[in-house]
Amino acid sequence: MPVKYDLIVIGGGHNGLVTAAYLARKGLKVLVLERRDVLGGACVTEEVWPGYKVSTAAYVNSLLRPEIIRDLELKRHGFEMLPRSPSSFTPFPDGRSLLLGPDKAMTHREVSKFSAKDADALPKYEAMLERVADFLEPTLTMTPPNPWSLRPANLLQLGRLGLGFLRLGHDGQKAVEILAGAATPILDRWFESEQLKVTLATDAIIGAMASPSMPGTAYVLFHHVMGECDGVRGVWGYVRGGMGGISNAIASAAREQGAEVRTGAEVVKILVKHGAAQGVVLRDGSEIHSTRVASSADANVTFLKLMSNGDLPADFVEAVRHIDYSSASCKINIALSELPDFTAVPGTAPGPQHRGTIHISPTMEYIERAYDDAKYGRPSQHPIIEATIPSVLDDTLAPPGKYVMSMFTQYFPYRLAPGLSLEAEKEKYADRCFDLMNEYAPNFKRSVVARQVLAPADIEQRFGLTGGNIMQGVMSLSSLSFMRPVPGYADYRTPVRNLYLCGAATHPGGGVMGACGYNAAREIARDAKR
Ligand SMILES: Cc1cc2nc3c(=O)[nH]c(=O)nc-3n(C[C@H](O)[C@H](O)[C@H](O)COP(=O)(O)OP(=O)(O)OC[C@H]3O[C@@H](n4cnc5c(N)ncnc54)[C@H](O)[C@@H]3O)c2cc1C
């Protein structure tokens, strides 16, 4: 008799693994099927060149929920954070530079170089974000209420949210602006120095096909301050062994609880009979049966690629077709023979300038112009770079004396203007990124040993992320909370009985948070108990 599982999880990204681990802990017989030969999805470490281990997609962590780290005992399974201090370094064309946090005295000194007023305002701005985070953060691990349902539990949850909002007092207006507004006006109101604003503004556009002056970017900015590193709020860190260290630790916890995890196992079809999921079909044609199926692939892949049209209501299919997957993020992974020797802070020995995120985008107008190109389908002439060199803090990633660098860059649009070829544009764009870095660190280009350029189309193909959208769908207000992935289906269930979503396509969205997988596990456990 073939084995029948209680639950098949499609996709061994970190969220799918979280769902698997929690439900295996509850005693369910769980099978995870991952298409690639490596686990982790976009939270992965890959040895791209012999001896060089690269976080090929996600590169820093802060968002992973502390309750998951605790419940699954991830530290015992090898998960280790490497906090960064300073957390960022921004060199400017005039030879000056700005280092930021978490050391508050250092940050005050650094910001004072540009504006004493801003140095005093920054802690107040952070405190305001924290107050709003206190309201929003608990919602991350809640199933969003359904405002179209009058069930008492829903009304109660909506009431509690309303009360939490009222408790914000005048910060309530700020919370609304953060949820719906643009980053630039907020930064303009708080700060006067271009240098501080532009350093903070890059968080507002990460993964977004938008410039900071566009509505929706304030939330992206905020999304990036909602986590913590070893208990310190808003601090981002590296993970020992690269981001795959997170996924591998979760996989190890899941296996320990009895979950079976297979790689190189691509699902090509979700089996549906009489309106209920029954299992899956793999690329090799084999069928595997289960009582329930949870997909951590995005909504487009799950519903439009792995299911037959007749399995789903037409209006649901239409809503999925309208999900916005636009993207202009291009990841460049690099092997380096030596560290960048910045004109602003000279030296190739590891220093504070190498530890955190290196921001290359001199002014707010520069970002706007970079986006203007992408708007018309052209990769930016003058791109924006967020570079990290995790091997400065982690000697497991590169051969002795060598380094790996992640360059998260924007804007390289998924949809290129007619006549532009992906392969040619990609290399020209990467060359421009390297020229730009070289302007600030003149030894950079000669230190490059190898590079891997992942444009949105490559991100789509490699990680299965539609449109190359790094969040499994944009993180704008109309696609958040009870509207994620589509209105009416934010409780991790789908129109097909016993079929669930458990990845970043669901609330609270993208980022290495694990919250989507955690919430989905809770809902699946509830149904299984019934
Ligand atoms: C370039 C890039 C940089 C990023 N940087 C950061 C960062 O620094 N910090 C951060 O917090 N977040 C970052 N993110 C976002 C974050 O990585 C993702 O939101 C998160 O990893 C999504 O996790 P997931 O488990 O929900 O989905 P995914 O990681 O997308 O996992 C889904 C899995 O399903 C598998 N799959 C798909 N289809 C099938 C199928 N048919 N059969 C079997 N398996 C299938 C895929 O191969 C994949 O492994 C970044 C993302 C990218 C792409």
Side-chain angles (χ1 to χ4, degrees), residues 9 138-139 170 186-187 195 255 367 376 425 428 452 490 521:
V9 177
T139 67
H170 292 305
I186 298 179
L187 293 170
Q195 291 85 350
R255 285 188 171 115
I367 304 183
Y376 303 106
E425 288 305 317
K428 281 194 272 181
Q452 175 196 49

Side-chain angles (χ1 to χ4, degrees), residues 349-379:
Q353 71 278 26
H354 299 122
R355 275 183 228 137
T357 299
I358 300 156
H359 295 273
I360 308 284
S361 59
T363 62
M364 297 294 278
E365 189 183 319
Y366 178 99
I367 304 183
E368 293 294 329
R369 289 188 187 283
Y371 176 67
D372 284 348
D373 290 335
K375 225 163 47 181
Y376 303 106
R378 294 187 299 264

Side-chain angles (χ1 to χ4, degrees), residues 441-493:
N443 70 333
F444 175 72
K445 285 208 286 190
R446 69 175 143 81
S447 71
V448 173
V449 177
R451 78 182 187 192
Q452 175 196 49
V453 186
L454 300 175
D458 303 301
I459 291 174
E460 175 175 66
Q461 202 240 336
R462 193 180 183 94
F463 303 107
L465 291 163
T466 302
N469 185 290
I470 73 165
M471 305 292 195
Q472 290 199 359
V474 299
M475 299 280 290
S476 60
L477 184 59
S478 58
S479 311
L480 292 175
S481 185
F482 56 84
M483 289 166 287
R484 194 172 185 91
V486 297
Y489 293 94
D491 65 354
Y492 308 91
R493 295 173 183 84

Side-chain angles (χ1 to χ4, degrees), residues 96-277:
R96 293 192 294 169
S97 65
L98 174 66
L99 290 167
L100 291 182
D103 176 340
K104 292 196 184 328
M106 180 215 70
T107 300
H108 192 272
R109 265 195 323 275
E110 283 284 315
V111 178
S112 298
K113 294 192 311 202
F114 301 96
S115 160
K117 194 166 149 246
D118 286 1
D120 292 339
L122 185 58
K124 293 180 194 139
Y125 164 82
E126 286 169 345
M128 179 277 290
L129 288 181
E130 284 204 15
R131 286 195 300 278
V132 178
D134 285 341
F135 162 62
L136 285 178
E137 210 171 311
T139 67
L140 297 177
T141 47
M142 283 179 195
T143 299
N146 182 352
W148 298 282
S149 151
L150 294 178
R151 280 165 53 187
N154 250 308
L155 295 175
L156 193 70
Q157 203 184 341
L158 277 171
R160 278 206 202 104
L161 274 180
L163 208 64
F165 182 77
L166 289 180
R167 277 202 207 101
L168 278 172
H170 292 305
D171 282 336
Q173 187 256 354
K174 295 187 179 91
V176 172
E177 188 181 22
I178 281 171
L179 283 170
T184 302
I186 298 179
L187 293 170
D188 279 345
R189 210 174 310 131
W190 279 90
F191 308 113
E192 61 182 14
S193 76
E194 191 70 11
Q195 291 85 350
L196 178 61
K197 281 191 275 188
V198 82
T199 301
L200 299 176
T202 49
D203 270 352
I205 52 164
I206 287 290
M209 174 69 184
S211 76
S213 65
M214 290 169 65
T217 49
Y219 183 75
V220 181
L221 177 83
F222 179 72
H223 192 75
H224 286 93
V225 301
M226 221 149 30
E228 58 166 67
C229 177
D230 284 346
V232 189
R233 175 73 67 76
V235 174
W236 288 76
Y238 300 128
V239 177
R240 186 173 299 283
M243 292 295 281
I246 293 179
S247 304
N248 293 336
I250 304 170
S252 163
R255 285 188 171 115
E256 190 180 77
Q257 297 295 334
E260 203 181 312
V261 182
R262 285 192 215 161
T263 53
E266 184 182 359
V267 172
V268 291
K269 191 170 169 50
I270 296 170
L271 292 168
V272 178
K273 209 169 162 189
H274 308 307

